[in-house]
Amino acid sequence: ADVAFLRELIAQNPSLSRRRLSVKVCQAWNWIQSNGQPRDMVCRGLMLALHRAGHIELPAKRQSPPNNAMAHRRVVEVPSIDTTPIEMSLEQLGPLELRLVRRAEGEKVFAHLLHRYHYLGYSRPVGEHLKYLVLAQGRPIACVAWNSGPLKLKLRDDLVGASHWTYAHHLHWIAYNSRYLIVPWVKVPHLASHLLARMARQISADWQELYAHRIWLLESFVDSERFEGTCYRAANWRCLGFSRGRGTKSRTKQKNTSLKAVTTQTPSPQSKMLARHRMLRQTTKDSPVSICENPWLPDGMRLSQFYNASGVRDHHKIVPMLSFDHRFLGKRTFFNWGFPSPTPPSSSLPCLWLMRDCSVGGF
């Protein structure tokens, strides 16, 4: 039926280009990103695959814009940057400006500084991302890059308490700190941890404005052979453990890169545990399960989905979905606390309620 729809759409609009056709398909199928933009590139890729397989016949290409990957990686030189040493206290440094430079003024300076002074260099990000250039006294002193989170991460699964496929539909709510640089001529104690704390408070609002969704979890990888990760710990980040040293492109199970410390933080203002107590909460088959307030689960999930026709709980369904680690979830969170026996959903269910506030210190 979908292929027939595409054929009919192409036949009815012979004058439209491939791009215009893809926009019409996105509108018809409601393929819309969270920021309201059509999923144009995904749709074009699908239509091109169907065209090459002979299922549909697209109009001839009208333009072939250059897509030189090497040219995209090239970093443009910028005018000379003032490298006069800055050695003072954080208070003496004065106000800091965290400037978003994604497709804005300062992006070339951002790329130049990372390319020249970061040990990993600069790479053009793909997908959702933010770039911050930190200015003090009108001079650039730091660069911080954020990308979409990794698709699979075993330590994150352990933290969440479920396999990655359980929350795969919400991976876009994770931001990964891919680059962090304080330029070498700046020697200011506590600056690195101060900037990380500022970022944690600001990034969710900035992401919401650009991509129309919040960020619930921050992640970073710290090369344990180069750094100790002190600034992350001082900024209330938590180390989950170490990677296996296989890298993202490894095709074997052998270690081929340095071990990375995996650290996490929540940008929500509710982060440090303030109170922990048991409570009883009435839940019925017809009411949404309280875990729905947890952002990692699909909207509209109901407790009745985890019970059979006799009202007996299905352990295999409910346990993986409700046993979430409370330590990083920013919202009010109710989760499975181990029911002593199969309990119909009309009963009072024991839950754990956690409220945390990140502004008061570390874990």
Side-chain angles (χ1 to χ4, degrees):
D2 292 337
V3 172
F5 169 80
L6 294 176
R7 290 172 181 164
E8 183 179 355
L9 181 68
I10 295 170
Q12 293 176 352
N13 301 274
S15 61
L16 293 186
S17 65
R18 295 183 176 186
R19 181 181 179 279
R20 295 296 180 186
L21 286 171
S22 69
V23 171
K24 278 190 169 294
V25 173
C26 289
Q27 293 171 350
W29 290 352
N30 196 29
W31 276 11
I32 306 298
Q33 303 179 57
S34 56
N35 61 358
Q37 298 299 315
R39 298 186 182 275
D40 181 41
M41 292 302 296
V42 175
C43 184
R44 271 190 271 177
L46 171 63
M47 295 175 67
L48 183 59
L50 292 174
H51 171 75
R52 289 173 175 172
H55 298 295
I56 63 175
E57 186 175 351
L58 291 174
K61 286 202 314 183
R62 300 183 182 181
Q63 294 182 355
S64 297
N67 188 21
N68 190 327
M70 296 304 296
H72 291 162
R73 296 177 185 176
R74 192 173 301 123
V75 177
V76 179
E77 290 295 328
V78 298
S80 59
I81 298 175
D82 186 2
T83 59
T84 305
I86 298 178
E87 299 185 12
M88 58 185 68
S89 67
L90 185 60
E91 182 180 4
Q92 293 172 334
L93 187 61
L96 303 178
E97 178 187 358
L98 276 60
R99 180 183 299 178
L100 278 171
V101 295
R102 180 184 182 272
R103 299 180 181 177
E105 181 183 358
E107 187 172 27
K108 293 181 179 179
V109 175
F110 176 93
H112 169 77
L113 290 175
L114 286 178
H115 174 72
R116 182 164 185 182
Y117 298 109
H118 198 283
Y119 75 102
L120 293 176
Y122 172 78
S123 61
R124 187 184 185 198
V126 177
E128 297 183 0
H129 65 277
L130 292 180
K131 301 175 182 178
Y132 289 94
L133 185 65
V134 183
L135 303 173
Q137 302 174 6
R139 297 171 56 186
I141 62 169
C143 302
V144 189
W146 298 90
N147 293 30
S148 300
L151 296 178
K152 298 179 182 180
L153 190 59
K154 181 63 170 61
L155 291 171
R156 183 208 299 149
D157 294 346
D158 295 339
L159 177 66
V160 174
S163 300
H164 70 276
W165 56 264
T166 308
Y167 57 91
H169 52 286
H170 283 153
L171 281 177
H172 60 291
W173 286 350
I174 300 174
Y176 162 54
N177 181 206
S178 56
R179 295 290 188 274
Y180 188 20
L181 169 72
I182 293 181
V183 292
W185 56 87
V186 174
K187 307 292 183 183
V188 178
H190 316 300
L191 173 62
S193 58
H194 174 76
L195 289 178
L196 285 172
R198 287 272 301 270
M199 288 287 172
R201 293 192 294 268
Q202 179 174 335
I203 189 172
S204 189
D206 291 340
W207 215 285
Q208 173 78 37
E209 183 176 354
L210 184 59
Y211 296 110
H213 67 82
R214 297 181 60 185
I215 292 296
W216 287 94
L217 184 69
L218 305 178
E219 293 179 345
S220 186
F221 293 86
V222 179
D223 191 333
S224 59
E225 296 181 4
R226 290 175 175 266
F227 311 103
E228 295 183 2
T230 305
C231 64
Y232 286 92
R233 295 196 300 271
N236 199 25
W237 287 58
R238 176 189 174 202
C239 181
L240 301 181
F242 292 86
S243 68
R244 299 181 181 181
R246 294 205 300 258
T248 57
K249 299 180 180 179
S250 174
R251 296 186 178 181
T252 67
K253 294 186 178 181
Q254 301 299 320
K255 177 180 177 297
N256 60 4
T257 184
S258 59
L259 298 181
K260 308 295 192 301
V262 181
T263 58
T264 62
Q265 168 64 295
T266 168
S268 168
Q270 302 165 338
S271 148
K272 183 175 176 170
M273 190 180 308
L274 294 180
R276 179 186 298 177
H277 61 273
R278 302 178 186 178
M279 62 177 297
L280 296 179
R281 182 176 176 87
Q282 288 285 75
T283 311
T284 66
K285 283 186 177 182
D286 297 326
S287 64
V289 64
S290 49
I291 194 71
C292 285
E293 300 186 33
N294 187 313
W296 294 94
L297 294 184
D299 295 334
M301 180 169 291
R302 295 179 180 273
L303 187 61
S304 57
Q305 293 175 270
F306 301 111
Y307 287 80
N308 59 27
S310 303
V312 178
R313 182 167 58 91
D314 188 333
H315 293 262
H316 298 288
K317 290 183 180 179
I318 197 170
V319 172
M321 300 298 289
L322 298 187
S323 58
F324 277 73
D325 193 307
H326 61 269
R327 287 171 291 184
F328 77 103
L329 297 175
K331 273 191 168 184
R332 186 176 54 183
T333 305
F334 301 94
F335 68 100
N336 176 38
W337 199 41
F339 302 106
S341 61
T343 309
S346 58
S347 302
S348 298
L349 305 180
C351 299
L352 190 63
W353 186 25
L354 302 157
M355 294 293 293
R356 312 184 326 162
D357 189 348
C358 148
S359 58
V360 250
F363 288 104

